[in-house]
Amino acid sequence: MNVVRPIAAPGRPAVATLGLFDCDIHPRPLSLEEYRPWLSAEMWHRLSTYGIRPRHGFAKGYPFPKAAPLASRRDAWPPGKVPASDLDFLRAQHLDFHGIDIGVLNPLQPSGQGDQNDAFSAAMAYAVNEWQLERWLRDEPRLRASVVVPYEDGEASAREIRRRAGDRRFVQVLLMSRTAEPLGRKRYWPIYEAACEAGLPVAFHAFGYSGWAMTNGGWPSFYIEEVSEHATSCQSQVISLIVEGVFERFPSLRILMIECGFAWIPSVGWRLDKHWRKLKDEVPHLRRAPSEYLRQNFWVSTQPMDEPERPEHLLDVMEWIGWDRILYASDYPHWDFDDPRTAFPAFIPPERRRDIFGANARALYGMPAA
């Protein structure tokens, strides 16, 4: 692999004084050996010998390598290492440089989520959570962890959530947006029950390892097709959660959708409401219009920022979602990283910008105002 050396950064940005809260940072281990202290001999043997086997499987093909180091910024490579594997480098390039007050870690692969072996997925989730605490949070008080769970096993996921409950270093439960079944199915309800008990929001991050193609017609030819499917994968999950009655059973459940876009949300609400008015008898457990659950129980991240040609269209969308439901996300260190200096169009009002940069996340995660 040809390692790209870091590019010198310009001066400190003006947004450093805004108390930035970044809800999407992706750490990686330098090697799988970093997980070894928290894996049993059996599970370490499985990892080192057979590796991670996501549900896409070898015969079905893997997704495009969005979470791989090669999908990162050209200047995010620490000398001799992979992006986001070195705390000092991440601290200097992202936390210090951009003035990040709080940053939430969302470990993607290799995390074991979506693995075909549920017991191994659970063991990996435990190891990754311990790794976050030891490798990242111990020496950097600005970072927070996500509870990585083996989400295809609802009961094992609930046990991992309860293990972390009360540890304020963990601020959310992390799932991926592409799952073996729609996330409203009752096999996943133990996750929501445990999250509500712990007072933690559940974050759905784009991508995942469902075992199914991300389009209705099969595997796409190009990465641009897959990355555009983030929105549709989340649309199906939103519809499933609402229609299956998850929020009637768990009214305090809070869902944060990360890296899924958000311009599609009003139209999904409108369509659901239209169908619900004529099909209420099929879903008598829904006591309110679907759009009401959408507005009450969901939050979104800004990355990737949707930018229509007419500024007022974006403002209308953000108003419909709720200005207090939108959180800043950088997606560091990936290639589509959103620099806080340039992430938001200039026409977004300054007071709204301040809330998106920090206050909204602090409210969602139950942290005091900056």
Side-chain angles (χ1 to χ4, degrees):
M1 180 189 304
N2 293 323
V3 177
V4 180
R5 299 303 179 186
I7 299 172
R12 286 181 61 82
V15 295
T17 61
L18 291 180
L20 291 179
F21 195 122
D22 183 357
C23 71
D24 192 29
I25 299 174
H26 298 298
R28 287 186 65 89
L30 185 58
S31 74
L32 295 176
E33 188 76 29
E34 291 190 16
Y35 297 146
R36 188 171 187 174
W38 303 287
L39 291 171
S40 68
E42 175 189 355
M43 291 304 174
W44 171 248
H45 173 72
R46 177 174 293 276
L47 175 61
S48 59
T49 304
Y50 300 101
I52 293 172
R53 300 177 64 245
R55 276 176 164 75
H56 285 314
F58 297 101
K60 300 173 186 175
Y62 284 99
F64 294 93
K66 169 65 171 69
L70 291 178
S72 296
R73 291 167 41 180
R74 290 174 59 86
D75 65 343
W77 295 77
K81 299 180 180 180
V82 297
S85 65
D86 183 278
L87 175 58
D88 289 337
F89 192 92
L90 182 146
R91 181 188 287 125
Q93 186 179 63
H94 187 50
L95 301 180
D96 293 345
F97 178 69
H98 290 296
I100 305 294
D101 275 9
I102 301 291
V104 179
L105 301 179
N106 292 315
L108 301 181
Q109 288 295 348
S111 69
Q113 286 190 309
D115 196 88
Q116 296 183 60
N117 185 305
D118 286 343
F120 174 70
S121 184
M124 282 293 295
Y126 171 80
V128 172
N129 290 332
E130 291 295 317
W131 170 80
Q132 290 183 83
L133 297 179
E134 176 64 23
R135 178 70 178 79
W136 298 95
L137 272 65
R138 186 185 65 174
D139 297 321
E140 181 44 74
R142 288 172 290 184
L143 293 178
R144 300 294 185 274
S146 295
V147 183
V148 174
V149 295
Y151 50 76
E152 298 299 354
D153 186 333
E155 294 296 341
S157 296
R159 288 193 294 272
E160 186 63 26
I161 294 169
R162 292 187 174 105
R163 179 182 288 118
R164 310 298 173 178
D167 187 338
R168 297 184 65 82
R169 295 172 295 179
F170 289 93
V171 295
Q172 65 186 13
V173 177
L174 179 64
L175 282 70
M176 303 295 279
S177 67
R178 294 171 185 165
T179 47
E181 294 186 54
L183 281 168
R185 297 288 178 86
K186 289 190 177 180
R187 62 179 285 186
Y188 300 107
W189 285 27
I191 299 174
Y192 312 137
E193 181 178 24
C196 289
E197 289 176 2
L200 295 173
V202 176
F204 296 165
H205 193 286
F207 278 98
Y209 301 91
S210 64
W212 310 103
M214 64 290 301
T215 76
N216 291 330
W219 299 97
S221 299
F222 301 99
Y223 174 69
I224 190 173
E225 296 178 82
E226 166 152 359
V227 78
S228 299
E229 288 293 330
H230 291 347
T232 55
S233 71
C234 283
Q235 288 173 35
S236 65
Q237 300 292 22
V238 165
I239 293 170
S240 175
L241 288 163
I242 293 174
V243 173
E244 293 273 6
V246 170
F247 301 109
E248 285 295 336
R249 176 63 180 83
F250 307 107
S252 64
L253 179 63
R254 295 163 293 160
I255 302 294
L256 170 62
M257 294 181 290
I258 301 176
E259 211 170 316
C260 302
F262 56 80
W264 49 269
I265 290 178
S267 63
V268 167
W270 299 331
R271 175 170 289 226
L272 275 174
D273 283 359
K274 178 180 179 179
H275 293 321
W276 173 75
R277 292 187 191 102
K278 297 179 180 179
L279 299 171
K280 289 182 182 180
D281 60 339
E282 186 191 20
V283 285
H285 51 276
L286 295 187
R287 302 178 184 179
R288 295 180 290 154
S291 63
E292 293 186 35
Y293 302 100
L294 190 50
R295 283 172 147 161
Q296 176 177 316
N297 297 93
F298 289 89
W299 281 254
V300 299
S301 76
T302 57
Q303 203 285 332
M305 173 66 73
D306 295 303
E307 297 187 43
E309 294 179 358
R310 298 178 61 177
E312 61 268 25
H313 290 171
L314 179 59
L315 296 175
D316 286 346
V317 166
M318 299 174 90
E319 181 73 32
W320 193 97
I321 294 170
W323 288 102
D324 61 337
R325 300 302 172 107
I326 305 170
L327 281 60
Y328 168 68
S330 72
D331 193 29
Y332 181 89
H334 292 155
W335 65 273
D336 47 353
F337 165 82
D338 269 1
D339 188 319
R341 297 168 297 177
T342 58
F344 298 167
F347 55 78
I348 294 180
E351 65 275 12
R352 302 300 191 186
R353 189 183 300 252
R354 284 193 295 270
D355 289 344
I356 294 171
F357 270 136
N360 294 344
R362 290 179 178 277
L364 174 63
Y365 295 122
M367 296 181 182

